[in-house]
Amino acid sequence: KAGVTQTPRYLIKTRGQQVTLSCSPISGHRSVSWYQQTPGQGLQFLFEYFSETQRNKGNFPGRFSGRQFSNSRSEMNVSTLELGDSALYLCASSPSTGGIRDTQYFGPGTRLTVL
Amino acid sequence: AQKITQTQPGMFVQEKEAVTLDCTYDTSDQSYGLFWYKQPSSGEMIFLIYQGSYDEQNATEGRYSLNFQKARKSANLVISASQLGDSAMYFCAMSSTAGSYQLTFGKGTKLSVIP
């Protein structure tokens, strides 16, 4: 099976712009989660989608949003970019069979730089 | 709230030697899962091993084993016969009981394998 894919791999934006990141999960996986990774804060959970519904959201401002399509592909959007949004954004998919054993498999990430 | 603590920011190990990476956790949940991921410099998070809170035996996956001590709330990763390709960041993570659909990560340990 192909792994989780994320596009684009690298992005450079300026403050105030908006950006959309894309994630295609492993075939058959219905849950997609997004994480932000920065040197200072580490890995932080953004949100999780299952069957086009957001089931959980982390502690991020409303500028961060996401959605999931019927084929389980997901996008996240960041509006009005700030310098502090520079980070590696990781997408993960899981079968979501339920419970604690559900393993998340990560994509290669999108590295966003805000100038 | 859940918390993962990795107290070793960086570690060195000689090639072909074994190394233990520490992870302690805090949770009020009775049912939880513990994961270890490897992140090379490329950025992708690679799933290594899983341990459930009710699993009686320590998990093993090839050269990786998890030393799970529930009473001490620790889940240390043991890598046997270290290889140069093992040089990477290693993250311990926890899933809670079904419903939150997110992983809580530690700050990570940077492992360097010396030839």
Coordinates of all heavy atoms in Angstrom, one line a residue, chain A residues 50-107:
Chain A
F50 N -13.1 12.3 10.5 CA -13.5 11.0 10.2 C -14.8 11.1 9.5 O -15.7 11.7 9.9 CB -13.7 10.1 11.5 CG -14.2 8.7 11.2 CD1 -13.3 7.7 10.9 CD2 -15.5 8.4 11.4 CE1 -13.7 6.4 10.7 CE2 -16.0 7.1 11.2 CZ -15.1 6.1 10.8
S51 N -14.9 10.5 8.3 CA -16.1 10.5 7.5 C -16.6 11.9 7.3 O -17.8 12.2 7.6 CB -17.2 9.6 8.1 OG -16.9 8.3 8.0
E52 N -15.7 12.8 7.0 CA -16.0 14.2 6.7 C -16.4 15.0 7.9 O -16.9 16.2 7.7 CB -17.1 14.3 5.6 CG -16.7 13.6 4.3 CD -17.7 13.6 3.2 OE1 -18.0 14.7 2.7 OE2 -18.3 12.6 2.9
T53 N -16.3 14.5 9.1 CA -16.7 15.2 10.3 C -15.5 15.4 11.2 O -14.7 14.5 11.4 CB -17.8 14.4 11.0 OG1 -18.9 14.2 10.2 CG2 -18.2 15.1 12.3
Q54 N -15.4 16.6 11.7 CA -14.3 16.9 12.7 C -14.7 16.3 14.0 O -15.7 16.7 14.6 CB -14.1 18.4 12.8 CG -12.9 18.7 13.7 CD -12.7 20.2 13.9 OE1 -13.3 20.8 14.8 NE2 -12.0 20.8 12.9
R55 N -13.9 15.4 14.5 CA -14.3 14.7 15.8 C -13.6 15.4 17.0 O -14.0 15.2 18.1 CB -14.0 13.2 15.7 CG -14.8 12.5 14.8 CD -14.7 11.0 15.0 NE -13.4 10.4 14.8 CZ -13.1 9.1 14.7 NH1 -14.1 8.2 14.9 NH2 -11.9 8.7 14.5
N56 N -12.4 16.0 16.7 CA -11.7 16.5 17.8 C -10.8 17.7 17.3 O -10.4 17.7 16.1 CB -10.8 15.5 18.4 CG -10.2 15.9 19.8 OD1 -10.7 16.8 20.4 ND2 -9.2 15.2 20.2
K57 N -10.6 18.7 18.1 CA -9.8 19.8 17.7 C -8.9 20.2 18.9 O -9.3 20.2 20.1 CB -10.8 21.0 17.5 CG -10.1 22.2 16.9 CD -11.2 23.3 16.6 CE -10.6 24.5 15.7 NZ -9.4 25.1 16.3
G58 N -7.7 20.6 18.5 CA -6.7 21.0 19.5 C -6.9 22.5 19.8 O -7.8 23.2 19.3
N59 N -6.0 23.0 20.6 CA -6.1 24.4 21.1 C -5.3 25.3 20.2 O -4.3 25.8 20.5 CB -5.5 24.4 22.5 CG -5.7 25.8 23.2 OD1 -6.7 26.5 22.8 ND2 -4.9 26.1 24.1
F60 N -5.9 25.6 19.0 CA -5.4 26.5 18.1 C -6.4 27.5 17.7 O -7.6 27.2 17.8 CB -5.0 25.7 16.8 CG -3.6 25.1 16.9 CD1 -3.5 23.8 17.5 CD2 -2.5 25.7 16.4 CE1 -2.2 23.3 17.6 CE2 -1.2 25.1 16.5 CZ -1.1 23.9 17.1
P61 N -6.0 28.7 17.3 CA -7.0 29.8 16.9 C -7.8 29.4 15.7 O -7.4 28.5 14.9 CB -6.1 31.0 16.6 CG -4.7 30.5 16.4 CD -4.6 29.2 17.2
G62 N -8.9 30.1 15.5 CA -9.8 29.8 14.4 C -9.2 30.0 13.0 O -9.8 29.6 12.0
R63 N -8.0 30.6 13.0 CA -7.3 30.8 11.7 C -7.0 29.4 11.1 O -6.7 29.3 9.9 CB -6.0 31.6 11.8 CG -6.2 33.0 12.4 CD -4.9 33.8 12.4 NE -3.9 33.2 13.2 CZ -2.8 32.5 12.8 NH1 -2.6 32.4 11.5 NH2 -1.9 32.1 13.7
F64 N -6.9 28.4 11.9 CA -6.6 27.1 11.5 C -7.9 26.3 11.3 O -8.7 26.2 12.2 CB -5.7 26.3 12.5 CG -4.3 26.9 12.7 CD1 -4.1 28.0 13.4 CD2 -3.3 26.3 12.0 CE1 -2.8 28.5 13.6 CE2 -2.0 26.8 12.1 CZ -1.8 27.9 12.9
S65 N -8.1 25.8 10.1 CA -9.3 25.0 9.8 C -9.0 23.9 8.9 O -7.9 23.8 8.3 CB -10.3 25.9 9.1 OG -9.9 26.4 7.9
G66 N -9.9 23.0 8.8 CA -9.6 21.8 8.0 C -10.9 21.3 7.4 O -12.0 21.7 7.8
R67 N -10.8 20.3 6.5 CA -12.0 19.6 6.1 C -11.5 18.2 5.5 O -10.3 18.0 5.2 CB -12.7 20.4 5.0 CG -11.9 20.7 3.8 CD -12.8 21.5 2.8 NE -12.0 21.9 1.6 CZ -12.6 22.4 0.5 NH1 -13.9 22.5 0.4 NH2 -11.9 22.8 -0.5
Q68 N -12.5 17.4 5.4 CA -12.2 16.1 4.8 C -13.2 15.8 3.7 O -14.4 16.1 3.9 CB -12.3 15.0 5.9 CG -11.8 13.6 5.3 CD -11.9 12.5 6.4 OE1 -12.8 12.5 7.3 NE2 -11.0 11.6 6.4
F69 N -12.8 15.2 2.6 CA -13.7 14.9 1.5 C -14.2 13.5 1.6 O -13.7 12.7 2.4 CB -12.9 15.2 0.2 CG -12.4 16.6 0.1 CD1 -11.1 16.9 0.5 CD2 -13.2 17.6 -0.4 CE1 -10.6 18.2 0.4 CE2 -12.7 18.9 -0.5 CZ -11.4 19.2 -0.1
S70 N -15.1 13.1 0.7 CA -15.7 11.8 0.8 C -14.8 10.7 0.5 O -15.0 9.5 0.9 CB -16.9 11.8 -0.2 OG -16.5 12.0 -1.5
N71 N -13.6 11.0 -0.2 CA -12.6 10.0 -0.5 C -11.6 9.9 0.6 O -10.5 9.3 0.5 CB -12.0 10.2 -1.8 CG -11.2 11.5 -1.9 OD1 -11.3 12.3 -0.9 ND2 -10.6 11.8 -3.0
S72 N -11.8 10.6 1.8 CA -11.0 10.6 3.0 C -9.8 11.6 2.8 O -9.1 11.8 3.8 CB -10.5 9.2 3.4 OG -11.6 8.5 3.8
R73 N -9.6 12.1 1.6 CA -8.5 13.1 1.5 C -8.9 14.3 2.4 O -10.0 14.6 2.6 CB -8.4 13.5 0.1 CG -7.1 14.4 -0.2 CD -7.0 14.7 -1.7 NE -8.1 15.6 -2.2 CZ -8.0 16.9 -2.1 NH1 -6.9 17.5 -1.6 NH2 -9.0 17.7 -2.6
S74 N -7.8 15.0 2.9 CA -8.1 16.1 3.8 C -7.2 17.3 3.4 O -6.2 17.2 2.8 CB -7.8 15.7 5.2 OG -7.9 16.8 6.1
E75 N -7.7 18.5 3.7 CA -7.0 19.7 3.6 C -7.0 20.5 4.9 O -8.0 20.4 5.6 CB -7.6 20.6 2.5 CG -7.4 20.0 1.0 CD -8.1 21.0 0.0 OE1 -8.9 21.9 0.4 OE2 -7.8 20.7 -1.2
M76 N -6.0 21.2 5.1 CA -6.0 22.2 6.2 C -5.7 23.6 5.6 O -4.9 23.7 4.7 CB -5.1 21.8 7.4 CG -3.6 21.9 7.1 SD -2.7 21.9 8.7 CE -2.9 23.6 9.2
N77 N -6.3 24.5 6.2 CA -6.1 25.9 5.8 C -5.7 26.8 6.9 O -6.2 26.6 8.0 CB -7.4 26.4 5.2 CG -7.3 27.8 4.6 OD1 -7.4 28.8 5.3 ND2 -7.0 27.9 3.3
V78 N -4.7 27.6 6.7 CA -4.3 28.6 7.7 C -4.5 30.0 7.0 O -3.9 30.3 6.0 CB -2.9 28.5 8.1 CG1 -2.6 29.4 9.3 CG2 -2.6 27.0 8.5
S79 N -5.3 30.8 7.6 CA -5.6 32.1 7.1 C -4.7 33.2 7.8 O -4.3 32.9 9.0 CB -7.0 32.5 7.2 OG -7.5 32.5 8.5
T80 N -4.5 34.3 7.2 CA -3.8 35.4 7.9 C -2.5 34.9 8.6 O -2.4 35.0 9.8 CB -4.7 36.2 8.9 OG1 -6.0 36.3 8.4 CG2 -4.1 37.6 9.1
L81 N -1.6 34.4 7.8 CA -0.4 33.8 8.3 C 0.4 34.7 9.2 O 0.5 35.9 8.9 CB 0.4 33.3 7.2 CG 0.0 32.0 6.5 CD1 0.7 31.8 5.2 CD2 0.2 30.8 7.4
E82 N 0.9 34.1 10.3 CA 1.8 34.9 11.2 C 3.2 34.2 11.2 O 3.3 33.0 10.8 CB 1.2 34.8 12.6 CG -0.1 35.5 12.7 CD -0.7 35.4 14.1 OE1 0.0 34.8 15.0 OE2 -1.8 35.9 14.4
L83 N 4.2 34.9 11.6 CA 5.5 34.3 11.6 C 5.6 33.1 12.4 O 6.3 32.1 12.1 CB 6.5 35.4 12.2 CG 6.8 36.6 11.3 CD1 7.8 37.6 12.0 CD2 7.2 36.3 9.9
G84 N 4.8 33.0 13.5 CA 4.8 31.9 14.4 C 4.2 30.6 13.8 O 4.2 29.5 14.4
D85 N 3.6 30.8 12.6 CA 3.0 29.6 12.0 C 4.0 28.8 11.2 O 3.7 27.7 10.7 CB 1.9 30.0 11.0 CG 0.7 30.7 11.7 OD1 0.5 30.4 12.9 OD2 0.0 31.6 11.1
S86 N 5.2 29.3 11.1 CA 6.3 28.5 10.4 C 6.5 27.2 11.2 O 6.8 27.3 12.4 CB 7.6 29.3 10.4 OG 7.5 30.5 9.6
A87 N 6.4 26.1 10.5 CA 6.4 24.8 11.2 C 6.4 23.7 10.2 O 6.2 24.0 9.0 CB 5.2 24.7 12.1
L88 N 6.6 22.5 10.7 CA 6.4 21.3 9.9 C 5.0 20.8 10.2 O 4.6 20.6 11.4 CB 7.4 20.2 10.2 CG 7.3 18.9 9.5 CD1 7.6 19.1 8.0 CD2 8.2 17.8 10.1
Y89 N 4.1 20.7 9.2 CA 2.8 20.2 9.4 C 2.7 18.8 8.9 O 2.9 18.5 7.8 CB 1.8 21.1 8.6 CG 1.7 22.5 9.3 CD1 2.6 23.5 8.9 CD2 0.7 22.7 10.3 CE1 2.5 24.8 9.5 CE2 0.7 24.0 10.9 CZ 1.6 25.0 10.5 OH 1.5 26.2 11.1
L90 N 2.3 18.0 9.9 CA 2.3 16.5 9.7 C 0.8 16.0 9.6 O 0.0 16.4 10.5 CB 3.0 15.8 10.8 CG 4.5 16.0 10.7 CD1 5.1 15.6 12.1 CD2 5.2 15.1 9.6
C91 N 0.6 15.2 8.6 CA -0.7 14.6 8.5 C -0.6 13.1 8.8 O 0.5 12.5 8.5 CB -1.2 14.8 7.1 SG -2.7 13.7 6.7
A92 N -1.6 12.5 9.5 CA -1.5 11.1 9.9 C -2.8 10.5 9.5 O -3.9 11.1 9.7 CB -1.2 10.9 11.3
S93 N -2.8 9.2 9.1 CA -4.1 8.5 8.9 C -4.1 7.2 9.7 O -3.1 6.7 10.1 CB -4.3 8.2 7.4 OG -3.5 7.1 7.0
S94 N -5.3 6.8 10.0 CA -5.5 5.6 10.8 C -6.7 4.9 10.3 O -7.6 5.5 9.8 CB -5.5 5.8 12.3 OG -6.7 6.5 12.6
P95 N -6.8 3.5 10.5 CA -8.0 2.8 10.1 C -9.2 3.2 10.9 O -10.3 3.1 10.5 CB -7.6 1.3 10.4 CG -6.1 1.3 10.6 CD -5.7 2.7 11.1
S96 N -8.9 3.8 12.1 CA -10.0 4.2 13.1 C -10.9 3.0 13.4 O -12.1 3.2 13.2 CB -10.7 5.4 12.6 OG -11.5 6.0 13.6
T97 N -10.3 1.9 13.7 CA -11.2 0.7 14.1 C -11.7 0.9 15.5 O -12.5 0.1 16.0 CB -10.3 -0.6 14.0 OG1 -9.1 -0.4 14.7 CG2 -10.0 -0.9 12.6
G98 N -11.2 1.9 16.1 CA -11.7 2.3 17.4 C -10.8 1.9 18.5 O -10.1 0.9 18.5
G99 N -10.7 2.7 19.6 CA -10.0 2.3 20.7 C -8.5 2.8 20.7 O -8.0 3.4 19.8
I100 N -7.8 2.4 21.8 CA -6.5 2.9 22.0 C -5.5 2.3 21.1 O -4.3 2.8 20.9 CB -6.1 2.6 23.5 CG1 -6.1 1.0 23.7 CG2 -6.9 3.3 24.4 CD1 -5.6 0.6 25.0
R101 N -5.8 1.2 20.4 CA -4.8 0.5 19.6 C -4.7 1.1 18.2 O -3.8 0.7 17.4 CB -5.2 -1.0 19.5 CG -4.2 -1.9 18.9 CD -4.7 -3.4 19.0 NE -4.6 -3.8 20.4 CZ -3.5 -4.3 21.0 NH1 -2.4 -4.4 20.3 NH2 -3.5 -4.7 22.2
D102 N -5.5 2.1 17.9 CA -5.5 2.6 16.5 C -4.2 3.4 16.3 O -3.9 4.4 16.8 CB -6.7 3.6 16.4 CG -7.3 3.6 15.1 OD1 -7.2 2.6 14.4 OD2 -7.8 4.7 14.7
T103 N -3.4 2.8 15.3 CA -2.1 3.4 15.1 C -2.2 4.4 14.0 O -2.8 4.2 13.0 CB -1.1 2.3 14.6 OG1 -1.0 1.3 15.7 CG2 0.3 2.9 14.3
Q104 N -1.5 5.6 14.2 CA -1.5 6.6 13.2 C -0.2 6.5 12.4 O 0.9 6.4 13.0 CB -1.6 8.0 13.9 CG -2.9 8.2 14.6 CD -3.2 9.6 15.1 OE1 -2.5 10.5 14.7 NE2 -4.1 9.8 16.0
Y105 N -0.4 6.6 11.1 CA 0.7 6.5 10.2 C 0.9 7.9 9.5 O -0.1 8.5 9.0 CB 0.5 5.5 9.1 CG 0.4 4.1 9.7 CD1 -0.8 3.5 10.1 CD2 1.6 3.3 9.9 CE1 -0.9 2.3 10.7 CE2 1.5 2.0 10.5 CZ 0.3 1.5 10.9 OH 0.2 0.3 11.4
F106 N 2.1 8.4 9.6 CA 2.3 9.8 9.2 C 2.9 9.9 7.8 O 3.5 9.0 7.3 CB 3.3 10.4 10.2 CG 2.8 10.8 11.5 CD1 2.6 9.8 12.5 CD2 2.4 12.1 11.8 CE1 2.1 10.1 13.7 CE2 1.8 12.4 13.0 CZ 1.7 11.4 14.0
G107 N 2.6 11.1 7.2 CA 3.1 11.5 5.9 C 4.5 12.2 6.1 O 4.9 12.3 7.3

